[in-house]
Amino acid sequence: MGENRRVRRATREDGCRRLRWRRRFGLAACLSLAVLFPELSRSAETPVEPAATIDRIVRSYHQEGRFSGSVLVATADRVVYRKALGLADESWEVPNTLDTRFQIGSLTKQFTAALLLELQHQGKIDLDAPMTRYLPAYRADIAQIVTLRQLLGHTGGIPDFVRRPDIMEIVKNPITPRELLRDYCSGSLEFKPGSQFRYSNCGYLILGAIYERVAARSYAEGLAELVARAGMRDTGVASPRDVVPRLASGYVEEKGVRRRAPYIDWSIAFSSGSAYSTVEDLWRWRQALRNGSALWPGADEEIFSPRPFGYSFGWHVGRTNRDQLEEFLASDYDVHPASADMMLRVASHSGDLLGFHSCMTLFLDGSWTIILLDNHDSKVLPILAAEVLRALVPAS
């Protein structure tokens, strides 16, 4: 690869690294959805051999040590590329496969949001009601003025505990949702609710506690029923001591040496980032949202509707163009205001845990979908996703 290209990639990777702690511990997964306007999609032509184009890009990242995991790319309802690269377990040299399960971090948030949306659809909650209606034991001065919808959109002002200096000690210990909210997610508001955007894993942890109280069952049970309706067989939550078949080990680079990722008790991630899944299952989820089998017909329209600051029901939703696609995929909210040249309507999310990284991108006009799961802490999946998409979508 030429020196200029290396410089460009290094610059992009530096931008992604700045997001690392904002999305740490899956308590943030890069799920991205891109929707082309109809007039653009009609003029675009699919490459003759998209699989070869995709493979060339993916393999280059793997050969450079920047990606190890599973990839799935589809157009409409047809998968055109699926590949697993690298090792799920370095000690035993067990290869990654398309059935390998990965911790998906904040890709969990889309499932949490879907569960809350379903409770609203059933008439059991009002997303515009204050928290106190559903969590009367929570700090009253905050619970009375922050709504569930603001928690869903990261505009509630709830501080995010992953920014604490002692976070690496906190994540080592098991904890219940009640203890989590009491000890780490009840700090004073950072701003007036609804006035700003600031990514908060605590907001989604609170939503998980609300779900359990209203639904009268555990978050794990609710998630299991939801994904079963979508035909997903390899998605769920587990504790670190549970034996989960085909679950990849996470690895990090420390001073140029590959090591196992530091221990995390997944109970700390709860409804914000504790789920595991596969590329095939996430593809099933994508299809189930589109056909209504996961929730109900038309639910995806609400999920992907534009919201203040560009965040809606566990997804970053907004507009961008080919030149700014990479920046959009690496962002939690709309960095740039929409303009006339932003012909791509996009919904995105990314996840970043110690040892794991994930990213998924779909074109909701029925064209491209890309799902990336990594267990070697690559931190470049938004870059890889954007490069693949730019190769598949011709310039207007």
Side-chain angles (χ1 to χ4, degrees):
M1 182 173 60
E3 185 63 26
N4 289 339
R5 190 176 181 187
R6 292 185 183 274
V7 171
R8 288 198 300 271
R9 282 189 171 172
T11 302
R12 296 168 185 164
E13 290 173 22
D14 182 64
C16 284
R17 291 190 190 101
R18 290 195 296 269
L19 295 168
R20 180 171 185 166
W21 283 98
R22 288 167 54 192
R23 301 177 172 209
R24 184 49 93 184
F25 308 123
L27 299 167
C30 172
L31 252 171
S32 323
L33 295 181
V35 184
L36 293 177
F37 282 169
E39 59 270 23
L40 181 58
S41 62
R42 282 194 297 268
S43 64
E45 294 182 359
T46 301
V48 176
E49 296 182 353
T53 299
I54 300 164
D55 193 64
R56 182 173 61 254
I57 297 171
V58 171
R59 285 188 179 278
S60 70
Y61 276 71
H62 176 65
Q63 291 165 0
E64 294 163 8
R66 301 195 301 159
F67 175 74
S68 179
S70 298
V71 185
L72 184 148
V73 182
T75 181
D77 292 323
R78 181 173 61 91
V79 175
V80 298
Y81 181 84
R82 40 164 62 95
K83 183 79 68 175
L85 299 165
L87 297 175
D89 188 284
E90 296 268 354
S91 299
W92 289 92
E93 296 187 346
V94 177
N96 282 316
T97 70
L98 295 172
D99 292 329
T100 299
R101 293 165 169 175
F102 297 81
Q103 294 291 155
I104 62 172
S106 278
L107 290 187
T108 305
K109 288 183 173 66
Q110 64 181 300
F111 298 115
T112 301
L115 288 171
L116 269 292
L117 183 61
E118 184 171 45
L119 288 181
Q120 177 183 252
H121 186 70
Q122 295 168 347
K124 295 180 179 179
I125 62 170
D126 177 0
L127 295 181
D128 294 307
M131 291 166 48
T132 189
R133 182 180 299 182
Y134 308 106
L135 282 182
Y138 190 84
R139 180 175 167 175
D141 60 329
I142 293 176
Q144 291 172 356
I145 62 174
V146 177
T147 69
L148 276 60
R149 193 178 299 277
Q150 288 167 341
L151 295 178
L152 285 163
H154 299 290
T155 63
I158 305 291
D160 194 351
F161 81 109
V162 303
R163 295 192 288 268
R164 291 174 55 117
D166 58 345
I167 184 62
M168 289 305 299
E169 292 303 315
I170 293 173
V171 300
K172 295 177 181 179
N173 303 307
I175 192 168
T176 66
R178 182 177 180 179
E179 293 169 337
L180 189 54
L181 268 58
R182 181 195 67 200
D183 297 342
Y184 303 121
C185 293
S186 59
S188 300
L189 295 180
E190 296 181 316
F191 50 83
K192 179 181 177 181
S195 66
Q196 299 180 40
F197 175 97
R198 192 167 192 189
Y199 196 93
S200 175
N201 291 293
C202 277
Y204 271 74
L205 295 171
I206 293 170
L207 289 169
I210 290 173
Y211 175 81
E212 291 194 331
R213 191 170 189 275
V214 174
R217 61 179 175 179
S218 71
Y219 177 80
E221 291 170 333
L223 176 62
E225 181 181 303
L226 175 66
V227 300
R229 292 200 301 266
M232 301 164 70
R233 302 179 292 271
D234 293 309
T235 300
V237 295
S239 75
R241 299 191 65 187
D242 290 337
V243 176
V244 180
R246 294 178 280 105
L247 181 65
S249 297
Y251 298 90
V252 297
E253 293 282 342
E254 294 181 355
K255 298 180 179 179
V257 178
R258 180 71 53 79
R259 298 185 182 277
R260 285 191 179 273
Y263 175 82
I264 297 176
D265 189 296
W266 299 121
S267 61
I268 198 75
F270 184 41
S271 53
S272 184
S274 63
Y276 61 81
S277 191
T278 67
V279 291
E280 298 281 2
D281 251 16
L282 291 174
W283 169 236
R284 294 183 186 102
W285 173 247
R286 160 72 183 99
Q287 293 174 301
L289 285 178
R290 184 160 47 191
N291 64 32
S293 61
L295 295 168
W296 59 89
D300 59 330
E301 295 179 8
E302 186 166 4
I303 289 173
F304 301 120
S305 292
R307 309 286 178 186
F309 304 102
Y311 198 98
S312 175
F313 290 102
W315 300 86
H316 173 197
V317 180
R319 287 194 296 157
T320 189
N321 54 34
R322 291 178 82 257
D323 293 338
Q324 296 178 344
L325 180 60
E326 180 181 301
E327 184 176 14
F328 186 99
L329 301 186
S331 303
D332 298 323
Y333 69 109
D334 286 345
V335 177
H336 301 289
S339 60
D341 68 328
M342 293 183 175
M343 300 299 289
L344 299 175
R345 182 171 171 262
V346 181
S348 69
H349 212 289
S350 69
D352 185 4
L353 290 133
L354 284 172
F356 294 94
H357 200 190
S358 55
C359 177
M360 177 177 174
T361 304
L362 308 90
F363 285 19
L364 296 183
D365 67 338
S367 55
W368 295 108
T369 297
I370 176 171
I371 306 166
L372 302 163
L373 300 178
D374 179 280
N375 69 316
H376 285 67
D377 211 36
S378 69
K379 301 296 181 294
V380 299
L381 296 194
I383 300 172
L384 173 54
E387 187 167 344
V388 169
L389 288 173
R390 282 195 298 266
L392 297 174
V393 180
S396 57

